[in-house]
Amino acid sequence: MRSQRHLLSLPVLGAVVALAAAPAQAGDIASIRPIGFSPDGAVFAFEEYGIQDGSGFPYASIYTVDLNKDTYLPGTPFRARLEEDGASLAQARWKVQSAAETLLDAHEIDNQPAEFLAFNPITESDVDALKIRYRHVSALPPIEEPSTLVLEEIPEPPDPACEGVIEQKVSFRLRFTERDGKAANDVVYDDERIPNSRGCVSGYRLAGIVAGQTTGGGTVEVALVMVLSAGFEGPDGRWIAVPIKTAAPPTR
């Protein structure tokens, strides 16, 4: 059983909004906490949370992704937004974690933690928001050559619902241009359509890579992509998880 003490001790990953020094008009950028994988590497769960721009309401969501089908598990994601006066971010997170607990336990998500292989927060300067070069194994000295994953934004036809809100609606694809130190041209994800949940999306960031180990010794990797969509006071940042390396199916 997760405790409130455990919740409040969790590290904050990503950009934190609503600081005193923040501009008066700005969208909100959700923070992210990877939770983990199922033992077979087929399910990945993560939490995003923050303070909604405009309303000031605290919110939290937990997503559980079927990596083989690249879809959410039935009945998910879990979401909480607290509109009561004085409601806190900790309360929103506690509420959504309580709602997701049974499903997370059923898939043993907490037993297979997610490891950051690379992280590119929006607060970091002098980085390429559309490219990450990383190694697949945490080791010193390095035991392998790096791979390079790039995100390519694709202009989409005008959307009447977004006219006057953003200049251009875009989709994206993910491509490896380097694999283990060798040149490559390997598309691992390409938007077939833009889901309505992205709203008037004007851009993306390739914000991180996480990996997990299966009980059978395999590895799985997920790209964390930030979706930048029109918000009440500026661009809002929300997270999606895209499988870029799925675990091999078990042998019979």
Side-chain angles (χ1 to χ4, degrees):
M1 180 69 67
R2 296 172 183 80
S3 67
Q4 191 163 11
R5 179 190 299 267
H6 173 68
L7 169 64
L8 296 177
S9 68
L10 292 171
V12 175
L13 297 172
V16 180
V17 297
L19 298 176
Q25 296 291 321
D28 78 81
I29 305 299
S31 296
I32 188 169
R33 180 179 70 93
I35 299 174
F37 295 88
S38 60
D40 60 0
V43 177
F44 170 65
F46 70 96
E47 176 194 13
E48 70 173 8
Y49 54 94
I51 304 295
Q52 192 175 58
D53 65 329
S55 70
F57 297 144
Y59 65 87
S61 302
I62 287 180
Y63 301 87
T64 51
V65 184
D66 183 325
L67 298 178
N68 294 321
K69 297 180 180 178
D70 194 19
T71 59
Y72 296 129
L73 294 185
T76 69
F78 301 95
R79 301 183 190 273
R81 187 180 70 172
L82 304 185
E83 302 182 7
E84 300 85 2
D85 289 341
S88 69
L89 182 57
Q91 289 172 327
R93 296 184 66 197
W94 177 250
K95 183 174 182 178
V96 80
Q97 289 200 21
S98 296
E101 185 170 25
T102 298
L103 182 64
L104 297 180
D105 287 347
H107 289 278
E108 302 180 49
I109 299 295
D110 279 341
N111 295 333
Q112 308 292 328
E115 175 190 11
F116 267 104
L117 300 181
F119 189 53
N120 180 16
I122 202 168
T123 50
E124 189 167 346
S125 302
D126 301 324
V127 297
D128 190 337
L130 302 178
K131 180 172 72 175
I132 287 181
R133 192 167 190 247
Y134 70 103
R135 288 184 168 88
H136 302 270
V137 178
S138 299
L140 285 177
I143 60 175
E144 59 176 18
E145 297 301 317
S147 297
T148 300
L149 184 66
V150 299
L151 185 151
E152 301 167 349
E153 296 181 337
I154 307 165
E156 293 292 325
D159 183 346
C162 298
E163 185 176 355
V165 179
I166 58 174
E167 292 185 5
Q168 178 73 61
K169 196 169 184 178
V170 292
S171 58
F172 77 96
R173 71 170 60 96
L174 294 176
R175 181 194 308 271
F176 276 103
T177 59
E178 178 186 28
R179 289 266 202 182
D180 301 319
K182 298 179 180 179
N185 183 20
D186 185 3
V187 174
V188 292
Y189 175 82
D190 200 344
D191 267 336
E192 295 181 358
R193 62 181 181 85
I194 300 179
N196 293 333
S197 59
R198 294 186 198 171
C200 293
V201 53
S202 59
Y204 303 88
R205 289 179 62 92
L206 181 53
I209 308 287
V210 294
Q213 298 287 326
T214 69
T215 53
T219 60
V220 58
E221 291 183 4
V222 171
L224 300 176
V225 174
M226 177 170 285
V227 179
L228 299 171
S229 301
F232 185 75
E233 296 180 345
D236 287 346
R238 298 293 184 269
W239 297 84
I240 55 176
V242 182
I244 55 176
K245 179 182 179 183
T246 55
T251 57
R252 296 186 182 273

